[in-house]
Amino acid sequence: MTKPICYGRYLTRYLASAIILLLCFGLTAHAQEKTVKGKVTDEQNNPLSGVSVVQKGTTNGTVTSDKGDFSITVPSSAILVFTSVGFTDQEVAVGTNTIISLQLKSLPQHLTDVVVVGYATQKKVTVTGAVTAVKGENLVKSPAVDLSNSLAGRLPGLVVIQQSGEPGYDGASISIRGTNTLGRNEPLIVIDGVPERDGGIGRLNPRDIESISVLKDASAAIYGSRAANGVILVTTKKGSTGKPKITYDFNRGWNQPARIPEMSNAFEYASIMNELPIYKTIPVAEWEAAWQAIKTTGTYDSPTPGVSTLNANYSPTAVQKYKDHSDPWGYPDTDWFGDAFKTWSPQDRHNLQLSGGSDNFRYFTSIGYVKQDAYYHKSATNYHQYNFRANLTAKVNSYITTTMGILARREQRRFPTESAGAIFRMLMRGRPTEPEVWPNGKPGPDIENGQNPYVITTNATGYNDNPTDFVQGNGTVEITNPWVKGLKLTLSAAVDKSTSVSETWQTPWMLYYWDRVTYEADGVTPKLVGAIRSNFTDPRLTKSYGSILNTNLTALLNYDRKIGTDHNIGLLVGVTKEKYTGTGFIAYRREYISPAVALFNVGGATQTATDPVNPPYRPYERTRLGYYGRAQYNFREKYLAEFVWRYDGSYIFPSEKRFGFFPGLLLGWNITNEDFFHVEGINYLKLRASYGQMGNDQVYYRNVLQEFAYLDLFRFGRYPINNSVVTTLYPGTVKNLDFTWEVANNYNIGLDATILNNKIDLTLEAFLNKRDQILIQRVGQTPQTTGFVDNLPPFNDGKVDNKGFEFSVAYNGKIGRDWIFRAGINGGYAKNKVVYMDEISGAPAYQRQEGKQINAYLVYKSAGVFLNQEDINKNTIDYSGVTSKLIPGDMKFEDVNGDGKITGDDQVRLDKNITPTFNYGATMEVRYKGFDLNILFQGAAGAAIRIQTESGDIGNFLKYSYDHRWSIDNPSSEHPRLASRGDTYFTGGNFGNNTYYLFSKNYLRLKNIELGYNVPESILNKVKLSGLRVFVNGLNVFTIDKMKVYDPEATVQSGVFYPQARVINAGLSLTF
Amino acid sequence: MKKLKLIAAFAGIGLFLFISCKRNFLDLQPKDQVSSDITWTDGALSQAFIYGTYAYLGYGGFEEQALAAYTDEAMFTHAGRNINTFTQGSETASNLAWISGTYGWKQMYEAIRRANIAIENLPNATFADQVLRDRLLGEAYFLRAYYYHQLIRFYGGVPIVDKTFALNVDYSIARNTWEECVNFIVGDLDKAAQLLDGKAITAGRASKIAAMALKARVLLYAASDLHDGPTAKANSSVLSGYANLNLLAYASGDQQTRWQAAKAAAKAVLDAAQGYKLNLSAPVSADEGKDNYISIAMGGKSGAPGLDAAAAVELIFQRTHTALYTEEDNWPLGGIHYGINNGPNGYHNWAGNTPIQQLVDDYEMMDGTKFDWNNATHALDPYAGRDPRFYATILYDGATWKPRPSDVAAVDPVNQVQTGYYDNGSGGFLNGIDTRESPIENWNGSRTHYYTRKFIDPNPALPDNQSNAQVVPWPFIRYTEMVLNYVEACIETGDEAEARTWLNKIRFRAGMPAVTDAGQALVDRYRNERRIELSYEEHRYHDVRRWMIPAQTVGRGIKEINVVAKLKPGKTALVPYRHDKTVYNYTYTVEDNTENETRTWNDKMYYRAISRDEINTNNKLVNNPGF
């Protein structure tokens, strides 16, 4: 084995040399001095605090106080430079003056905004990358508990999909510019400078957020190895100089499912279940007669020999009783969702913030509490969160500043012992003809396995308590070199620690049964008999513990200088070492003497680890090492150039292939800064272009991260031998020494403009992302006879192209003195194409994944329905490979290859998958005096979902299915017959995968609305408050969509998921 | 300049301290895996690797979708599982029917790779225990042979991969002939038998006897008609039109010689081991015969009263179970939940692979005569006076079974299977609680109105679908199969007296009278005996193919029974209902069932299709006839 080269050592040496070089830039001397005082105001003569007043060409400087006053000692020859964010810089020669007061002119907003980019902030005018950002103040308008849901519709190019609304797991999946790779597509999330921060973005307190930036193009290249899917930068609030400011927010919300699938009622269900057996056994010619007989007498005797008598599943009397609700005990009409849910479930959020500071010390602290209840009646599921954050900045002396960020958070999740999957499977299946709860309030029978949603949503089954505690700290020491102007060294460290302790207490539960013949002594009250219906009888306790420790050490060296009046340069080099570790265990005891005692040490004799080989907390250790930098240059903010790079190493790769170099080049041209450019109505115009190469090492196959694929390893498993469990070993991934970084080649061109007297801001982006060296398994060239098709190592083979565009247009308007009006629309389109993925050859061209979107549907093309026997008689296509006999209401398929037969070759690859290609949002803000109204519409288009429920004798049908079905009474040439549990060729098995069951996921929804009122100061002064705001807001208020079956964000075809929430919330915010 | 140096030093040192590059910072070792090198230096780890090679035995035959459902033993209750794709003959290379992981092409080659890794490494293993090393190597050879035997039973001759493939080489490999495959398997088994000679015998692991028995089975298959080229051609136009018939059958050689080899191999096992109660000279009582048969099926692992744990001696190679083996709790449920997968819905079980009427009809009467629906006595009371193994294998309307679960107990306090429809005395019918019209989980009701009970632990203390799990072993190879193999080889080699002697030993144990048939009658009797004795043991699928009689057996449609009870004149309906011939007149009607499958036979069904993708990744492969 060769020794790995320690690139780091060389680089640190270079860094040291670089420092020495930089130090060679000029030093300054001292001269005769005097004190100058003054006041700085804005154009309305309001005092401006925090204005930097610096003696030109030196580091001698101060900032203005609350009242705008300053005092500085300078030589008479000095020139004072006044700078403040949002205002034009101004220079004043001191001369003989001892008092200098002046007004600063405010800049147009687009020139003043500062955007957080990788390891720095940039003025928006000098930004050269495709960067979009949102301020924390916009995010707090949403009552969503998980912050990820508040990002939808606000950031063009961001694809945000909420797949579940379950408290504790209601976060959205986020991707940038759609899907770019066959591998993992998650963007890198950086929180306060720390990448891949434990706990992620979702549970951050929205009130702690200063801003969120999204780097969509080569601007992300400074995060090189993990930037391929884009980067999301979260910056939390810092304290600002001034009096202590205390803010208390209180929110009380009510949530309910944004949409519950509408199911058939008892009458409808009984009708379907009476129809289905006719199709199974009765000759087609007799269907009409049979259906009439079943409806009227409940029995049909076929004249055809060998056909047995057909009895109705539900007699005419029963059907009538289901319809008229005359006998709720015997013939209920159960709304399974309705019985299991309450109308509204509460959610609360409290937040107390304290911030302020002096010149030398600034602080921001916040304490928060969140409580969220689930939809279930007597819900066992709930979520509690406690969070604390302190961000402190201390100026030790003129040259040294230190910052510290501390976060503590408890995420306390509680669930029933039966999963949401089990609960919603039962809710979807619950037959309306069966009781969920008896009229007297006792829980009804189970659907199966003891599962009755009315009970398994409560703590009658025990509980699963799963608190996770986070403690995170990050600190920096910033050393400004006093002798080299513009040189700064920043050393930072972050430690994230989390522990998760899960306790599952399973207790047997009771359900109530009525045999439908026995009554209480009174002769009218049905006699219910209780029975234990859990599939175990002894209480059991499982405990597990998981712990994560992540560390990040970073050193940054900055050099920023303006040379002369024209040349601005900025240099940055940095190095980061990261380590991620995780560990945990699980333990299990059973045979508790009573469900009343959930103490770990008093269980019975049986105790075992349920799965020691694959515990919920798999131990791991992961490391990364990165060297990176940025070189920026601009000429009078007219010509902009930026080069970013990263040289990154990851433990994922074999030692020879471990490091990769990822550069990004970005150029900008502020045309409006050109002397020749004078176009009426165009206030500002910038063109941008970028190209970057970024890496991705997140190789997942079958949802397992492929670590150590360069080692010859055996994995542990278990198997029973001789009636006991033995530990087994089996081969893991076949070793490969030849794989390295997946590379994103991202091209972007952009345009930023402000037009019509600064009224309209416009940004346009167009991109082409060419991902190559995607780490895929060579399945297409590996036959199963090798025995390792599932154990193939990664190779840098795959290629995916992804292209699209984004736009955002914002309008800022004022009407009269009191009306302020802002509106914007934004959208992002991204569509990918698999260029190469080592597909198995031999399939017809129209079935190939290459050339189509990743995970595009491979389906049979439904071509209507056989309306009647006559229609079948006319059919000339051979269905013998599909079904042994065609009958009316069967689905037709398109004979794609025209061979006269329906076979596997008639499947086609659509260019559509479950991820939308176009995501958009529209915002509107209206202010009038103390009132403000904010509206966010959000939508997506281009995705499809297959809908298939567990229906038939096993479970209920969608109302949609009842309404749209071929039936004897109402034959259709569009909608097929219904089936019991996939027992027709077009519902179950391979042919069930057809276009008829694909539904559009296009939607537009009122994602977020807030109406607020700020009580005027005149009233507040009387009660000694400095601010009071009351507001109401909502989430997912209404939705316009085509599907109308599940929530259009759903990704589960069976409907078995906890639906996304609609939230109505009211709150107030007090500032002292 | 002094300051400057100071600053430079300060900054430089800061950087170095902070980010000093530890050379091995990125060199990590996994925390949950072990290196292959270490494994072969350590006996326990090497043994763990062999255990891992057993894992492809899966649940044995205790899978939710049992092989019985591909035969004229059973039908699978639930639609949409691609069972009908097979039984209707619509399987194609691009539309495969249900394939179990216990014989699937992909899984078997993964298993073979594990065995190959062991066979390549064990001879050079450095741990000290020589006996263990030989034992492990012997098991590796046995397992490789076992997995190849699964492949050839389902696919015919397959590519023989006898060493591990390196990465990125030419993977293409042609199928070996049937004969080469048989010889290869027999070779491995001979090595296994030699290496395992004198080694400890552990339930669930291979032994010398197991190797000998598997060899006997493979030689029996090799001798059978399907694998004799000329016979196969004569019996099937699909096979005779197949250009590569030597992949599936012997192109030359003498079938009689192969029968002699099969006979000798089976006899060797009979001599080296012993069966359960095979020394009887007259039939036992019907009750004892039933208990004997249940005891064998339970493999000594049932706590039910009256069963004999000594019957475990039958098991030559088995898949053992443990109730604590939590992975078997995972979906799809396996052996410990066999009762859930196959029991009646009125016990909250799922019906699964329910016996079809044709199997029920093939149980003889106690006197050794055939059951006949045209016999009025038989038709009136079809479940009376049958082969005791019928009662041990099949749950029918009125059969007594385990205590009902507490929520059903009130409806059926006498614990009888209810698969019929019973006069309620007021003009309607009460639907039996184990029917598909039952109020209890009707979607899990039998479509044939029977349930299998053979491998369900009858222990009343083990309610199925509660946490208690049965630990009945799966019999991959049991002694009686060897007896039957020997009987078949005797018949085929003209040794009919010997055949009858051994056949009768099996019948006596079951409580059935001796047979005296000869010639074709003996062949038929033997085939039926094998069908009954080995039902639900994954033999029928192969046997009807070997004998080339599938059209008359699995090619038949599915028949079910319809049981209707009418009140006798003057009687009132029993509440709760129980089976009572004094109160009800029961009528039994045989009907066709095409709810899930319209079964047919096509000669391409002799062998499974190799998937289109596999053929496209290995261009030397040719598919089986008809695909």
Side-chain angles (χ1 to χ4, degrees), chain B residues 37-59:
Chain B
D37 296 342
I38 290 169
T39 301
W40 306 114
T41 65
D42 184 299
L45 291 176
S46 298
Q47 176 163 289
F49 189 89
I50 294 299
Y51 287 161
T53 308
Y54 279 96
Y56 281 88
L57 297 175
Y59 300 134

Side-chain angles (χ1 to χ4, degrees), chain A residues 6 280 429 431 481 483 535 554 610 618 623 658 714 718-719 723 784 790 841 905 953 981 990, chain B residues 7 18 21 25 27 32 34 48 58 78 95 106 319 321 325-326 436 442-443 467 595 612 614 616:
Chain A
C6 179
K280 282 271 159 194
R429 277 180 54 186
R431 296 183 291 193
N481 190 297
W483 297 281
N535 63 4
T554 296
T610 46
R618 208 167 65 87
T623 52
R658 204 159 266 164
F714 291 157
R718 301 193 307 167
Y719 195 70
N723 298 295
Q784 293 170 349
D790 283 349
S841 62
D905 285 346
D953 44 22
R981 205 184 189 186
N990 301 345
Chain B
I7 297 153
F18 213 70
C21 169
F25 183 66
D27 272 329
D32 56 354
V34 64
H78 313 296
N95 184 31
K106 171 168 171 273
R319 160 63 150 86
H321 290 88
Y325 184 46
T326 47
R436 288 189 72 80
N442 60 339
W443 59 91
S467 49
E595 287 172 340
R612 183 180 75 184
E614 181 67 358
N616 283 328

Side-chain angles (χ1 to χ4, degrees), chain A residues 753-1011:
Chain A
T754 306
I755 55 175
L756 301 180
N757 204 13
N758 290 327
K759 279 220 166 62
I760 291 176
D761 285 331
L762 179 74
T763 296
L764 302 174
E765 310 275 3
F767 69 90
L768 170 61
N769 291 352
K770 292 175 89 74
R771 185 73 60 99
D772 60 19
Q773 297 188 39
I774 297 173
L775 289 160
I776 58 168
Q777 294 179 296
R778 293 183 168 167
V779 285
Q781 37 189 292
T782 313
Q784 293 170 349
T785 34
T786 58
F788 52 55
V789 278
D790 283 349
N791 290 66
L792 287 170
F795 273 98
N796 293 95
D797 286 352
K799 278 188 170 58
V800 169
D801 284 357
N802 181 30
K803 53 189 167 187
F805 59 85
E806 284 122 30
F807 63 89
S808 79
V809 183
Y811 171 82
N812 299 297
K814 266 188 186 173
I815 301 164
R817 268 187 49 203
D818 296 326
W819 286 92
I820 292 174
F821 178 77
R822 293 195 189 111
I825 53 168
N826 71 75
Y829 174 83
K831 191 166 176 192
N832 65 68
K833 184 175 83 176
V834 177
V835 178
Y836 181 77
M837 63 177 284
D838 200 26
E839 227 175 337
I840 296 174
S841 62
Y846 51 84
Q847 293 186 357
R848 291 183 70 78
Q849 171 68 75
E850 285 163 11
K852 301 281 167 53
Q853 285 198 80
I854 296 167
N855 293 328
Y857 290 108
L858 177 66
V859 287
Y860 291 89
K861 281 190 133 171
S862 170
V865 162
F866 291 104
L867 180 66
N868 48 34
Q869 188 60 46
E870 202 188 341
D871 201 5
I872 293 169
N873 297 343
K874 281 189 291 191
N875 169 55
T876 54
I877 293 171
D878 179 0
Y879 276 76
S880 64
V882 180
T883 178
S884 53
K885 190 180 75 178
L886 285 172
I887 53 174
D890 273 343
M891 189 182 286
K892 295 176 182 172
F893 292 131
E894 198 175 302
D895 177 20
V896 175
N897 63 354
D899 66 352
K901 279 188 296 207
I902 303 299
T903 66
D905 285 346
D906 293 312
Q907 295 172 88
V908 289
R909 183 81 59 180
L910 306 179
D911 197 12
K912 205 173 251 268
N913 58 25
I914 203 162
T915 311
T917 47
F918 184 56
N919 293 273
Y920 57 98
T923 55
M924 205 167 78
E925 183 183 354
V926 181
R927 288 174 180 277
Y928 175 72
K929 296 191 170 163
F931 290 94
D932 54 79
L933 175 68
N934 279 275
I935 294 172
L936 169 67
F937 280 96
Q938 179 259 335
I945 184 172
R946 181 183 177 204
I947 292 186
Q948 195 183 33
T949 56
E950 257 186 300
S951 299
D953 44 22
I954 195 170
N956 199 4
F957 291 86
L958 292 169
K959 180 76 158 61
Y960 177 93
S961 305
Y962 176 81
D963 290 342
H964 302 86
R965 75 191 199 283
W966 188 102
S967 67
I968 296 164
D969 286 344
N970 190 13
S972 165
S973 52
E974 182 188 356
H975 300 289
R977 284 191 335 268
L978 297 182
S980 185
R981 205 184 189 186
D983 68 357
T984 60
Y985 67 84
F986 50 87
T987 49
N990 301 345
F991 295 95
N993 213 356
N994 61 60
T995 51
Y996 177 80
Y997 297 104
L998 283 179
F999 284 69
S1000 162
K1001 274 172 58 117
N1002 293 1
Y1003 70 94
L1004 170 66
R1005 68 189 349 170
L1006 178 54
K1007 189 79 183 173
N1008 189 193
I1009 181 168
E1010 178 170 288
L1011 176 65

Side-chain angles (χ1 to χ4, degrees), chain A residues 383-401:
Chain A
Y383 177 71
H384 293 259
Q385 177 177 311
Y386 307 84
N387 48 263
F388 167 79
R389 177 183 297 276
N391 285 341
L392 311 174
T393 311
K395 200 170 170 188
V396 178
N397 60 35
S398 320
Y399 307 113
I400 301 178
T401 305

Side-chain angles (χ1 to χ4, degrees), chain A residues 4 6 9 12 15 19-20 23 280 308 429 431 446-449 479 481 483 492 513 531-537 540 553-555 575 577-578 606 610-611 618-619 621-625 649-651 658-659 708 711-716 718-731 734-735 778-790 793 795 840-844 847 880-881 884 904-905 953-954 981-983 989-991, chain B residues 3-4 7-8 10-12 14-16 18-23 25-36 39-40 45 48-49 51-55 57-58 78-82 88 90 94-96 105-106 109-110 113-114 117 159 161 165-168 171 173 202-205 301 319-322 324-328 348 350 406-407 410-411 436-437 439 441-444 465-467 471 575 591 594-596 598 612-614 616-618:
Chain A
C6 179
R9 177 163 296 173
T12 22
L15 285 180
I19 297 163
I20 294 164
L23 289 172
K280 282 271 159 194
S308 50
R429 277 180 54 186
R431 296 183 291 193
D446 59 324
I447 293 173
E448 64 179 329
N449 303 321
I479 307 164
N481 190 297
W483 297 281
S492 61
Y513 296 82
I532 287 189
R533 282 294 295 131
S534 44
N535 63 4
F536 57 93
T537 49
R540 296 140 177 235
L553 296 177
T554 296
V575 53
K577 236 170 104 169
E578 289 165 73
T606 308
T610 46
D611 189 353
R618 208 167 65 87
E621 188 175 42
R622 295 162 188 163
T623 52
R624 293 160 180 288
L625 183 60
S650 162
Y651 78 105
R658 204 159 266 164
F659 280 84
F708 305 107
L711 297 177
D712 213 344
L713 297 171
F714 291 157
R715 295 181 186 152
F716 290 96
R718 301 193 307 167
Y719 195 70
I721 297 280
N722 200 16
N723 298 295
S724 58
V725 176
V726 296
T727 299
T728 65
L729 279 175
Y730 61 94
V734 182
K735 154 173 109 169
R778 293 183 168 167
V779 285
Q781 37 189 292
T782 313
Q784 293 170 349
T785 34
T786 58
F788 52 55
V789 278
D790 283 349
F795 273 98
I840 296 174
S841 62
Q847 293 186 357
S880 64
S884 53
D905 285 346
D953 44 22
I954 195 170
R981 205 184 189 186
D983 68 357
N990 301 345
F991 295 95
Chain B
K3 270 180 193 158
L4 188 121
I7 297 153
F10 156 71
L15 273 177
F16 266 101
F18 213 70
I19 317 282
S20 72
C21 169
K22 221 166 88 191
R23 191 171 59 210
F25 183 66
L26 297 175
D27 272 329
L28 305 177
Q29 287 293 322
K31 301 223 169 227
D32 56 354
Q33 298 176 64
V34 64
S35 95
S36 62
T39 301
W40 306 114
L45 291 176
F49 189 89
Y51 287 161
T53 308
Y54 279 96
L57 297 175
H78 313 296
R81 311 275 185 99
N82 282 332
Q88 294 177 174
S90 47
S94 60
N95 184 31
L96 295 183
W105 182 279
K106 171 168 171 273
Y109 277 106
E110 286 168 2
R113 176 165 179 264
R114 291 190 188 180
I117 289 173
V161 179
F165 275 101
L167 208 54
N168 296 334
Y171 299 128
I173 182 169
T202 308
R205 292 177 71 172
K301 292 297 173 191
R319 160 63 150 86
T320 64
H321 290 88
T322 155
L324 281 180
Y325 184 46
T326 47
E327 269 169 46
E328 289 180 309
H348 297 299
W350 306 344
S406 55
D407 58 312
V411 189
R436 288 189 72 80
E437 293 76 22
E441 294 160 37
N442 60 339
W443 59 91
N444 287 328
N465 219 357
Q466 294 273 324
S467 49
V471 291
V575 179
E591 291 170 352
T594 55
E595 287 172 340
N596 285 356
T598 307
R612 183 180 75 184
D613 284 351
E614 181 67 358
N616 283 328
T617 49
N618 176 6

Side-chain angles (χ1 to χ4, degrees), chain A residues 433-581:
Chain A
T433 51
E434 310 284 334
E436 181 173 359
V437 53
W438 294 107
N440 65 1
K442 286 227 162 99
D446 59 324
I447 293 173
E448 64 179 329
N449 303 321
Q451 287 166 336
N452 175 334
Y454 190 75
V455 174
I456 62 173
T457 50
T458 69
N459 54 20
T461 70
Y463 56 81
N464 167 232
D465 233 336
N466 189 5
T468 304
D469 295 318
F470 294 85
V471 179
Q472 301 184 349
N474 54 283
T476 62
V477 178
E478 236 178 65
I479 307 164
T480 312
N481 190 297
W483 297 281
V484 182
K485 194 190 164 199
L487 184 66
K488 187 171 80 179
L489 174 68
T490 308
L491 303 175
S492 61
V495 180
D496 292 0
K497 167 88 182 166
S498 69
T499 53
S500 209
V501 181
S502 162
E503 181 171 298
T504 305
W505 174 238
Q506 293 168 277
T507 54
W509 65 87
M510 194 90 151
L511 297 175
Y512 291 86
Y513 296 82
W514 179 39
D515 62 7
R516 288 169 195 265
V517 285
T518 318
Y519 292 85
E520 298 284 1
D522 64 7
V524 281
T525 315
K527 186 180 164 86
L528 297 180
V529 179
I532 287 189
R533 282 294 295 131
S534 44
N535 63 4
F536 57 93
T537 49
D538 57 323
R540 296 140 177 235
L541 188 62
T542 309
K543 283 200 118 169
S544 64
Y545 170 89
S547 153
I548 287 173
L549 178 67
N550 298 345
T551 57
N552 177 305
L553 296 177
T554 296
L556 291 174
L557 196 60
N558 278 81
Y559 180 72
D560 291 302
R561 255 205 98 160
K562 189 164 189 171
I563 298 169
T565 51
D566 298 337
H567 307 281
N568 297 291
I569 58 164
L571 298 171
L572 164 87
V573 285
V575 53
T576 295
K577 236 170 104 169
E578 289 165 73
K579 188 167 189 172
Y580 302 83
T581 58

